[in-house]
Amino acid sequence: MTQPWTSADDVRRELDAVDYLVDDGMATALHLALTLEQPLLLEGEPGVGKTAAAKALARALGADLIRLQCYEGLTASEALYEWNYQRQLLAIRLAESRHETLSDADLFTEEFLQERPILQAIRAKGPVAPVLLIDEIDRADDEFEALLFEFLGEASVTIPEIGTFVAQRRPVVVLTSNRSRELHDALRRRCLYHWIDFPEPTRAADILRRAVPAATEPLIGSATEFVGRVRGLDLDKPPGMAETIDWVSALAALGAAELVPQDVVRSLSALAKTPDDRASIIAAVEGATLGQPGSTG
Amino acid sequence: MSQPLLRGVDRAAFAASLTAKLRAGGVAVGLTATEDLTRALAASLPTSPSRLYWVARVTLVRRQSELAAFDAVFAAVFDDAVIAIGRANRTPQRPPDASPGDALMPVPRANQDEADGAGLPWVTLPSVVALPDDPSATDADQAVPLRVVSELEALSRLPFEQLSEAQTQLLGRWLEQQLAGWPTRRTRRRRPGPGGREVALRPTIARSRRTGWDPVELVRVRPVRKPRRVVVLCDVSQSMQPQVTPYVHLMRALVLGVGGEAFAFATSLTRLTTVLRHRSAVVAVEQATAQVSDRYGGTRIAASVQALLASHHAEAVRGGVVVIGSDGWDSEPPQDLARAMARLRRRAYRVVWINPRAAAPGFEPLVGTMAAALPYCDDLLAADTFDSLAAVVAELGSLSSRA
């Protein structure tokens, strides 16, 4: 057991202490990931707090956060381990100058091994097991998923030249995906799974209170309600919690104490990410009163 | 402190039973997931139905598309039905001759099919060769590929309306063979290969072991190329009825050959990618037909394109080839389609519209919606016969050389 949390309520309380508010589902998912020592795959629309969950978990546990950002073309040498060729060549030249002979066993040792995030998580020696965030796994090639199977299933990495490294304490592994492609069943099978929905208005307001202390209560209330309506529009990119926080921060920075159409339009770049979305939201603003009778954008 | 919900209940039996119900309800629950649920219940028993729901959902469900089915089954088990976790059910019922220490596990009733000699379903491999009297074996499954060329020549100018079922399946098999030259795109991944410009350190050093650690032979790497993504949308409205089956075969060929995403639309959008992957073309087309509940009705092209762009599959459109198979007859205002097509065009690499009516002599895109969509299409191609469909495939295959 790497942490003293014995229930989902504990998880919720500890994460609350680091300003990350979770609902029942998320608390249960994180609690099970910690208790069963299994990787957790988080999916959801962009901006619902998948990456933030891993960061908050690391903060709450007092653990190191090791992050592997996935991208197309990510290889084993960037994710698992790599040999330090320069040092190997230097060692060879040095041995030659001393008229010594080197064998494979001399060159492929831990001394010449460069740890990449996954091996780093396995060999971590700190007092608390690290949190390994494998971010946006759907961006990596599907072949890359196969590289992770051994690690996800057995918390180990096999290096042909040396042998198998098994984690003494299983790292807490959080994978995130935006579903830009389907992940393989074999990867899903090795993970617990949680789909994160957009937060309920009440919880969204709670999150905003924590994230943007400068925002007034009327501003938070109307902004939450407005974002809920915006998500119902036909948008390329419906605003997530991250965009909402950015937007309310922008409004607070502009000195807005309440939501008025002029401020919505001025700060819209934080909420709308394409010209089409911007036009749609402005049209919605012009068609609504936003609680300000008679005022339109 | 509230009492655990399932105290005294056999956790493994509970997990297995819930798993069976979920499987019957369409949720693909693996054995590992069932084990996960059992371990989760052992680690901490839920204290409320809501907590039980989350524990079961996190451990048993592995994809978002299955959440609705999971919710339905869970509600049927725990909300709609009166769950039998009363005192009487907590205590295992012992037979009169059982000793107090006996642990009893529920055993599923024997499968009735076993009595007729069919064998155990989970250990019996399917027949490798269909038996002569096997009613499920069709001529199409046994067809010899060598027949394809001459038959195709005979059928090349026949409109789709006049094709028999066997001829349509022939078209499907032929289409799958035609996609060998599908356009590719360069990826960030690199792989050793001749002609590469960069030297790969790792394999070079590995190979230099044979030459006393002198890197005599340089291993070079070059970029890997991947098939360009393709998204194909097929109109299955009333006016497209004769073309639907050949187009579904085209979609299946694209799904199998180049990993495309396939959708059918009439008044709503239906994803067919999964069902079209079935190894039997006949079954795939049957399942696809069954899945599209609104086929042969009206058409809402703009709404369907918007639904695609709003779904998470929209990512497949980015940088991909989008093929729309439709006659362009739409019940929505043309400006709606123009707006949807403009968004689609901004994301896609190429937009190709295939229209069965474009082959008619003197065809002009005078239908309002077709005219509205055209400015956003890279190509408008006719597709009403084998010949024209072959031209479509050739055109799609040449996209990379023109880019």
Side-chain angles (χ1 to χ4, degrees), chain B residues 168-169 171-172 175 244-254 281 285:
Chain B
T168 313
Q169 286 166 23
L171 168 72
L175 280 171
V244 165
T245 309
Y247 281 17
V248 168
H249 279 287
L250 174 66
M251 290 201 284
R252 183 167 182 270
L254 289 168
V285 173

Side-chain angles (χ1 to χ4, degrees), chain A residues 88-274:
Chain A
Q88 282 177 325
L89 283 172
L90 280 173
I92 293 165
R93 297 297 175 215
L94 190 63
E96 281 174 352
S97 69
R98 292 174 181 164
H99 303 289
E100 293 170 0
T101 311
L102 287 180
S103 67
D104 280 4
D106 298 321
L107 284 172
F108 291 93
T109 60
E110 291 187 37
E111 183 190 351
F112 298 105
L113 195 60
Q114 286 181 326
E115 288 177 354
R116 299 296 189 224
I118 292 178
L119 187 59
Q120 198 184 339
I122 285 181
R123 298 180 68 194
K125 292 282 193 295
V128 183
V131 174
L132 173 64
L133 167 63
I134 303 179
D135 209 11
E136 303 190 39
I137 178 72
D138 53 321
R139 290 191 178 274
D141 305 284
D142 45 4
E143 297 96 326
F144 179 76
E145 288 176 35
L147 282 175
L148 296 180
F149 291 166
E150 183 191 4
F151 168 68
L152 294 177
E154 290 139 46
S156 65
V157 166
T158 299
I159 300 174
E161 294 89 346
I162 298 181
T164 302
F165 287 96
V166 184
Q168 297 299 313
R169 268 188 327 240
R170 280 187 174 237
V172 181
V173 184
V174 178
L175 297 98
T176 73
S177 164
N178 285 324
R179 299 196 306 164
S180 61
R181 67 174 175 81
E182 292 289 340
L183 300 178
H184 199 278
D185 282 345
L187 183 125
R188 291 181 180 275
R189 188 168 61 78
R190 287 167 168 82
C191 304
L192 299 172
Y193 175 81
H194 182 57
W195 168 263
I196 309 181
D197 270 322
F198 286 123
E200 300 289 318
T202 340
R203 205 164 63 82
D206 287 344
I207 294 171
L208 284 173
R209 276 184 211 109
R210 295 288 185 93
V212 195
T216 63
E217 200 58 31
L219 176 65
I220 287 177
S222 46
T224 313
E225 193 260 339
F226 180 75
V227 169
R229 275 197 286 138
V230 163
R231 282 187 195 134
L233 299 174
D234 175 29
L235 299 181
D236 278 348
K237 165 75 184 76
M241 204 56 227
E243 285 82 18
T244 312
I245 291 172
D246 289 347
W247 181 54
V248 175
S249 303
L251 286 169
L254 290 171
E258 288 183 340
L259 198 61
V260 292
Q262 289 83 354
D263 286 340
V264 172
V265 175
R266 282 164 72 199
S267 59
L268 208 51
S269 55
L271 202 62
K273 300 300 179 184
T274 68

